[in-house]
Amino acid sequence: MQGKIIKIISNLCTVKTSVGTYDCIPRGKFRKEAIVPLVGDYCLIDPENHYILEILPRKNELARPMIANVDVALIVTSVKQPNLSLSLLDKMISIVLLNKITPILCFTKFDLATKEEKQELKKIIHYYKKIGFIVTDNKHLKKLMPYLKKKVVVITGQTGAGKSTFINKMDKNLHLKTDEISQSLGRGKHTTRHVELFSIKNFYIADTPGFSSLEIQNKSKEEIRDSFVEFQNYPCPFKNCLHDKEKDCGVKRAVEEKKILKSRYQNYLEFIKNI
Ligand SMILES: Nc1nc2c(ncn2[C@@H]2O[C@H](COP(=O)(O)OP(=O)(O)OP(=O)(O)O)[C@@H](O)[C@H]2O)c(=O)[nH]1
Ligand SMILES: [Mg+2]
Ligand SMILES: [Zn+2]
């Protein structure tokens, strides 16, 4: 019988099939073959003995959050509490794009920002829109819905950014656990502990544990460069340039001329330095 893994807690996988859900454990051969089942996996199960027999090929997978077969990533970034982190945002955008997932940028907690901070945010949001991203907030649900229709969506972002709160808003029956952030640490408390896919309206959405730091894994400097999609708008005279050292680099010039957002370029340099 075929199904889709919608939840994993330790090694107990909840598998949704056309005739109901089954709690299954992966069969012994998985450990031997180093196959780790992921939420989002399509699999074959033995419903009588509650075994997962086989994981079907994936179209993509993320290490953080751990999930497979995703179409859209809703990247949640709080503008305050926790503080705005454009570094985490840019990193997540790169990871998502390099895994062939469509990013949607969702800013939360605008209500906590001052007038000046809102002005600054407006400019930042304008930039991300201009370079081609869908940008939204956690208030305008109606505008967002068409982008999620029939998709498998993962919500991801810093702990305490408001991911579970946002999903609760999408479906009033869910009642996912949410919690205030720690005032002393200025960040969330890792309230969501496991990845789980929910079928709501006409799409699937996975709530996931938040993070406070993130690594780009198994990607080359060139791949990271190419995930900064706006760089290609600025011709550079150097072949295969990483846009970090050359004096007359086209991308560096665009940064100086304020055509490329400075934080984007700085984050890019930081990411390739760490490869
Ligand atoms: N002021 C304000 N608070 C918000 C907003 N969205 C969420 N919150 C609050 O932020 C806190 C954290 O929200 P959660 O939904 O638990 O955050 P999370 O991203 O799921 O956190 P983890 O599960 O730890 O990753 C809660 O107290 C929410 O009520 C918002 O737009 N404005
Ligand atoms: Mg949560
Ligand atoms: Zn260059």
Side-chain angles (χ1 to χ4, degrees):
M1 189 187 283
Q2 192 176 322
K4 185 181 181 70
I5 302 179
I6 57 167
K7 177 164 85 170
I8 301 178
I9 291 179
S10 64
N11 77 336
L12 191 66
C13 305
T14 306
V15 180
K16 189 175 170 181
T17 74
S18 57
V19 292
T21 54
Y22 295 85
D23 285 332
C24 299
I25 55 167
R27 231 171 39 169
K29 70 166 189 176
F30 285 98
R31 195 174 301 163
K32 249 189 277 163
E33 293 172 9
I35 298 169
V36 180
L38 296 176
V39 170
D41 268 332
Y42 292 99
C43 60
L44 301 179
I45 64 165
D46 169 353
E48 257 141 56
N49 296 307
H50 292 259
Y51 276 133
I52 295 183
L53 304 173
E54 197 175 326
I55 301 292
L56 301 179
R58 293 172 182 149
K59 77 170 183 185
N60 57 32
E61 64 183 88
L62 291 175
R64 210 164 179 198
M66 280 178 82
I67 192 162
N69 302 319
V70 176
D71 304 306
V72 171
L74 202 52
I75 305 175
V76 175
T77 305
S78 50
V79 305
K80 274 237 166 136
Q81 295 187 20
N83 284 339
L84 180 72
S85 171
L86 294 179
S87 166
L88 283 176
L89 173 62
D90 287 335
K91 205 177 273 181
M92 207 62 225
I93 292 174
S94 288
I95 292 171
V96 159
L97 286 175
L98 292 172
N99 285 290
K100 301 192 168 54
I101 297 168
T102 305
I104 296 181
L105 283 48
C106 175
F107 290 92
T108 59
K109 312 202 189 187
F110 268 100
D111 52 297
L112 302 178
T114 63
K115 217 172 160 189
E116 291 74 30
E117 286 166 335
K118 278 183 191 152
Q119 287 295 327
E120 199 50 40
L121 282 162
K122 257 193 179 163
K123 286 186 213 157
I124 293 169
I125 288 171
H126 175 76
Y127 179 82
Y128 282 98
K129 279 186 180 166
K130 198 181 70 183
I131 62 174
F133 294 119
I134 304 161
V135 187
T136 179
D137 56 31
N138 56 351
K139 296 268 180 305
H140 298 87
L141 271 176
K142 267 207 180 123
K143 264 201 229 158
L144 175 64
M145 288 306 136
Y147 296 108
L148 310 187
K149 191 176 170 186
K150 294 194 175 150
K151 305 283 193 219
V152 177
V153 183
V154 64
I155 193 160
T156 177
Q158 231 180 325
T159 174
K163 299 178 293 298
S164 305
T165 305
F166 194 31
I167 300 180
N168 282 340
K169 212 167 162 182
M170 293 179 193
D171 187 334
K172 300 276 188 296
N173 299 318
L174 271 178
H175 309 296
L176 300 175
K177 194 173 169 218
T178 67
D179 198 2
E180 286 170 15
I181 70 157
S182 152
Q183 290 301 335
S184 57
L185 296 173
R187 55 178 159 84
K189 296 174 183 164
H190 298 282
T191 307
T192 303
R193 295 281 175 170
H194 67 270
V195 178
E196 183 165 355
L197 265 175
F198 300 98
S199 171
I200 65 176
K201 299 186 177 16
N202 49 21
F203 58 93
Y204 271 106
I205 189 160
D207 194 13
T208 68
F211 43 78
S212 41
S213 68
L214 191 65
E215 294 309 323
I216 302 179
Q217 291 173 347
N218 307 322
K219 301 294 175 203
S220 67
K221 292 184 181 190
E222 287 75 14
E223 284 175 305
I224 294 172
R225 174 198 60 202
D226 297 341
S227 72
F228 278 75
V229 289
E230 69 269 45
F231 290 1
Q232 67 199 16
N233 298 333
Y234 304 97
C236 180
F238 304 100
K239 204 172 163 233
N240 209 21
C241 181
L242 276 173
H243 314 309
D244 53 346
K245 296 195 180 83
E246 303 292 348
K247 200 163 158 271
D248 294 315
C249 163
V251 166
K252 279 171 76 173
R253 190 175 327 118
V255 176
E256 278 154 28
E257 291 171 356
K258 295 200 165 66
K259 288 176 181 156
I260 290 174
L261 193 69
K262 203 169 176 192
S263 61
R264 284 276 288 170
Y265 181 66
Q266 282 168 342
N267 288 334
Y268 163 70
L269 290 181
E270 190 64 33
F271 299 166
I272 60 166
K273 197 178 85 189
N274 291 331
I275 295 298

